[in-house]
Amino acid sequence: MPEDSNPIPNWQRQDLPPTLSQRFEFESYPATRRFLDGVAKLAEDAGHYPNLSFGKTYVSVTLDADGKKIGPDIVTLAHKIDALVTKTE
Amino acid sequence: MPEDSNPIPNWQRQDLPPTLSQRFEFESYPATRRFLDGVAKLAEDAGHYPNLSFGKTYVSVTLDADGKKIGPDIVTLAHKIDALVTKTE
């Protein structure tokens, strides 16, 4: 893909340092908690730990690549995190 | 207590809006995860949901009081969160 394209359009791409981030909103704390548990499972499976900020009804996820360019493994993780939303709502 | 005193000295007090915050560092992801699960349990019991930011080996906790002054319930929650650390390390 082109150097400056966004590999996953609904996420926010940042370049210095390279990160992909996304904010998710939920109807309730239990839905937030289910999503967080799902992200934790994905992170453990991938061996890659996002930075997360969350409150009662929102979660902000930031994926970095340890200073390297965002590669396909990170994009795959972002897609898997997106896919959790329909399962947790 | 005096209006401007810090009700829990090892936490950072902020006044606009009123919050108490603290950053915790851990040796490993499993220790981080145990601490997060402990905070979630305390939050559910208290019916008060902190804002948390975390990565593989750190957690930043911010307690607010919905725009009101920090009261004893929030300070109690902060103490309980502190007490988790010795259990999760």
Side-chain angles (χ1 to χ4, degrees):
Chain A
M1 65 195 162
E3 187 79 5
D4 60 352
S5 73
N6 189 337
I8 176 166
N10 55 324
W11 288 54
Q12 291 73 53
R13 173 187 161 149
Q14 175 191 288
D15 286 326
L16 291 171
T19 63
L20 282 179
S21 59
Q22 182 63 290
R23 183 183 167 103
F24 300 90
E25 307 260 358
F26 300 94
E27 291 289 314
S28 66
Y29 174 73
T32 302
R33 185 74 205 273
R34 282 194 295 276
F35 178 79
L36 285 166
D37 287 343
V39 173
K41 174 90 170 56
L42 290 175
E44 286 161 33
D45 291 348
H48 187 90
Y49 298 89
N51 289 290
L52 288 104
S53 294
F54 69 96
K56 190 175 180 183
T57 57
Y58 76 92
V59 180
S60 291
V61 181
T62 301
L63 301 173
D64 66 39
D66 294 325
K68 294 187 283 258
K69 283 196 298 183
I70 297 293
D73 50 336
I74 302 296
V75 177
T76 298
L77 183 53
H79 280 296
K80 286 181 178 171
I81 290 170
D82 274 344
L84 285 175
V85 174
T86 48
K87 292 182 198 165
T88 50
E89 274 179 342
Chain B
M1 63 196 163
E3 187 79 5
D4 60 353
S5 73
N6 189 335
I8 176 166
N10 55 324
W11 287 55
Q12 291 73 53
R13 173 187 160 149
Q14 175 192 287
D15 286 325
L16 290 171
T19 63
L20 282 178
S21 59
Q22 181 63 290
R23 183 182 166 102
F24 300 90
E25 306 260 357
F26 300 94
E27 292 289 314
S28 66
Y29 174 73
T32 302
R33 184 75 206 271
R34 282 195 295 276
F35 177 79
L36 285 166
D37 287 342
V39 173
K41 174 87 170 57
L42 290 175
E44 286 160 32
D45 291 348
H48 187 89
Y49 298 88
N51 289 290
L52 287 103
S53 294
F54 69 97
K56 190 175 179 183
T57 57
Y58 76 91
V59 180
S60 290
V61 181
T62 301
L63 301 173
D64 66 38
D66 294 324
K68 294 187 281 257
K69 283 196 298 184
I70 297 293
D73 50 336
I74 302 295
V75 177
T76 298
L77 183 54
H79 280 297
K80 286 182 179 173
I81 291 169
D82 275 343
L84 286 175
V85 174
T86 49
K87 293 183 200 164
T88 50
E89 276 180 340

